[in-house]
Amino acid sequence: MNRTPRLVVAATASTLTLALALTGCGRSDEAGTPADSAGSITDGPATGTLEVWAMGTEGELLPELAEQFEADNPDVTVNVTPVPWESSTEKINTAIATGEVPDVLQVGTTLMSGFVGLDGLAPTPDGIDSAAFFPGAWDTTVVDGTSYGVPWYVETRVLYYRTDLAEESGQEPPQTWADLTDFAAGLQDAGAEHGIALQTRGNSTALMYLPFYWQAGGEIMDDADEFTLDSDAQVKALTYYSSFMRDGLAPPVLVEDEKVANFIDGDLGSFVSGPWERANLLTTAGDDFADSFGVVPLPSDETTASFIGGSNLAVLADAANPDSAWKFVQFATDPAVQVDWFGTSNDLPAVQASWDDPALADNESVAVYEGALETARSTPAIPAWSEIEHELDLIIEQVIAGDLTPEEAAAQMQEAATSIGTGLD
C-alpha cells in the first residue's frame, strides 16, 4: 500500500504559478483572465465567470465546493449546472458542436475518448503531476498519447459477501480463482440459493467480466495499439467466468434489481460491485446490516486487477475562461480538498496522497479500495470503445448462455474489435 505523499502541482489557486499551454478562446473580457498570446496561464487568483457542468449527485453537491473556490478567489463567480447522466452525452455533444460550452466539465472515464474525438477537450497542461493520481485513473485521461483531463474521483469493483454465511461455511475470504469457486459453493451450502452473482447480460456486462480477463494475464490492446482479444487468457477467463452460471453457483440470468434484496435476505452469498453499494445496502436494510457483510478485493489469478471507473474534470477546447478553469480543476484535485469532497459526497479521492488523511486511512469501510485501486485497470481510451464494448457484451452473453464456446467467443471478439477499429485512424 503506497502511502507516500505526493502533491499535485500548485495545490491551491493562490499558489498557482504554472505556465500552461492552453487552447481556449475568450468568451469576453468579462469572462475572466484569458490565456495570453503565448498560451500560458497567469499567476494569482482566478477571476471572471466560470461555467461548470457536473452530473448526477456531483452536480447537486458541487456548489458547496464552488463556494470554497470563490472564497479563495474573491473575483471569480462559479456557476454550476447539474446535468442528468441520462442526457449528458447528448447535451455535451450538442455543446461541442455549437461552441456553447462550459469552461469545466465532469466527464465519465469511459466517455473521454468520444469527446476528444469531437475535438471538444483541451489537452492537460504539462505541469500537472500525473504521478499524484492512481495510475489506472490517469490512464483514463489519455487518448492517443495525450492527456485531456485530470482524474477527480475514482471507484473500483470489489467482492461483497455475507459474513454469517462465510463463518458458517468455515471459509476465509477468497484470494485466488480456486478460492472464489470454493467460497461461492460454501456460501451456497450454508444456506444461500446462489453463492455469487455476476452480470450475465445487458450493457456493461464486459466491464464486470474484464477484470477476470486482466487477472488471467490478458490485454485488450498491445503496445502497437493492435487488439489482442483472441488469446489463451481470453479462453481461460471466459471459461472461468461462465463456470459460475454453468455450475449453478450464480444465477444463469441475473436480475439486477433483485440482487441487493436477495443479498440482504441471505439468498445470495456474494456479489461484485463498487463503493456505492455500501450506502445502498445500509439504506435498504438499516445501519445494523453493516455487521452482516464484508468487502474484500477481487481474487487474483496470474495477477491482480479490477476495473477502475469514476469521473475526470476536463477543460473544454472552446472554454471562454481557460485560465480560471484550470485553476478550478487543480483546486478540486488538491489532496486536502479531495478529503473534504469525500466528506461531502463519499466520492473516493483520485489523488493518492489524500488517502493518508485519517478521514480515509482510519475508515475501515473504504480501506479495501485503496489497495484495489493501485492495480485497477481502465478500458482503452479510444473513440470506438463504446461500440466495441457493446459487441463484447453480446458475445459474453452468448458464452454464458452456452451458444458460443470460449474459443469461438475469443475469435469473435477479436474480429469485432478489429472490424470496428480504434476510431483514431
Side-chain angles (χ1 to χ4, degrees):
M1 182 176 296
N2 184 358
R3 291 192 176 283
T4 303
R6 287 184 282 188
L7 298 177
V8 180
V9 171
T12 65
S14 61
T15 60
L16 191 65
T17 56
L18 298 174
L20 307 173
L22 300 173
T23 60
C25 58
R27 182 163 46 211
S28 72
D29 290 339
E30 297 178 356
T33 305
D36 65 20
S37 57
S40 61
I41 196 170
T42 62
D43 294 340
T47 61
T49 300
L50 198 57
E51 302 291 340
V52 182
W53 287 5
M55 290 65 187
T57 302
E58 285 70 29
E60 298 171 3
L61 298 175
L62 196 58
E64 184 173 332
L65 191 69
E67 288 178 6
Q68 296 177 38
F69 184 69
E70 289 174 330
D72 290 345
N73 301 270
D75 294 327
V76 72
T77 298
V78 181
N79 298 321
V80 177
T81 300
V83 180
W85 275 112
E86 295 77 11
S87 59
S88 62
T89 300
E90 181 179 359
K91 183 177 177 67
I92 296 166
N93 285 342
T94 300
I96 292 173
T98 61
E100 297 295 325
V101 297
D103 298 290
V104 179
L105 178 67
Q106 176 187 355
V107 185
T109 55
T110 60
L111 301 176
M112 291 291 294
S113 57
F115 300 140
V116 171
L118 297 174
D119 296 328
L121 305 183
T124 306
D126 291 338
I128 290 181
D129 181 12
S130 61
F133 303 89
F134 287 105
W138 184 263
D139 288 346
T140 67
T141 73
V142 179
V143 181
D144 200 19
T146 300
S147 172
Y148 290 91
V150 175
W152 184 22
Y153 69 86
V154 291
E155 58 91 355
T156 191
R157 312 299 159 85
V158 294
L159 182 72
Y160 287 74
Y161 70 96
R162 288 285 302 234
T163 50
D164 54 346
L165 297 177
E167 182 177 353
E168 186 171 338
S169 68
Q171 295 188 99
E172 296 295 324
Q175 297 186 22
T176 67
W177 278 15
D179 290 346
L180 181 59
T181 299
D182 292 343
F183 190 69
L187 298 178
Q188 206 157 298
D189 290 343
E193 181 178 355
H194 291 104
I196 190 171
L198 298 169
Q199 189 166 341
T200 57
R201 63 182 180 181
N203 294 337
S204 300
T205 299
L207 297 185
M208 175 69 76
Y209 160 76
L210 281 172
F212 295 93
Y213 177 51
W214 290 320
Q215 291 162 16
E219 297 288 346
I220 297 173
M221 302 179 75
D222 61 18
D223 293 339
D225 291 338
E226 299 292 335
F227 292 104
T228 55
L229 294 166
D230 190 2
S231 65
D232 291 342
Q234 192 77 269
V235 174
K236 183 180 183 181
L238 285 168
T239 301
Y240 178 70
Y241 189 85
S242 61
S243 71
F244 290 96
M245 283 64 83
R246 182 190 66 229
D247 296 341
L249 297 175
V253 177
L254 177 64
V255 180
E256 188 69 26
D257 292 343
E258 298 176 355
K259 183 180 66 181
V260 167
N262 289 339
F263 185 73
I264 292 171
D265 291 342
D267 292 332
L268 176 63
S270 65
F271 65 92
V272 177
S273 191
W276 61 86
E277 208 70 74
R278 176 182 173 83
N280 190 20
L281 288 168
L282 298 185
T283 299
T284 305
D287 290 343
D288 290 344
F289 191 67
D291 296 330
S292 299
F293 68 92
V295 182
V296 294
L298 296 182
S300 61
D301 185 47
E302 297 295 330
T303 189
T304 301
S306 187
F307 169 74
I308 191 167
S311 281
N312 301 325
L313 290 175
V315 173
L316 279 295
D318 286 336
N321 193 357
D323 180 83
S324 292
W326 282 114
K327 289 175 179 176
F328 182 82
V329 170
Q330 292 201 307
F331 165 80
T333 52
D334 169 77
V337 174
Q338 289 251 293
V339 173
D340 291 342
W341 182 244
F342 167 72
T344 300
S345 66
N346 285 322
D347 287 342
L348 299 179
V351 177
Q352 296 190 68
S354 301
W355 290 76
D356 294 325
D357 190 279
L360 286 106
D362 297 342
N363 188 331
E364 294 182 0
S365 67
V366 302
V368 63
Y369 294 102
E370 183 178 13
L373 285 164
E374 290 175 354
T375 56
R377 308 276 297 273
S378 61
T379 54
I382 53 176
W385 175 252
S386 61
E387 189 176 353
I388 294 171
E389 184 181 309
H390 175 68
E391 293 300 318
L392 299 188
D393 289 342
L394 298 176
I395 293 170
I396 295 166
E397 181 178 339
Q398 292 180 73
V399 174
I400 293 170
D403 295 333
L404 284 177
T405 67
E407 290 81 2
E408 292 169 338
Q412 287 196 15
M413 287 178 171
Q414 179 72 15
E415 181 180 356
T418 303
S419 176
I420 294 169
T422 63
L424 294 170
D425 298 333

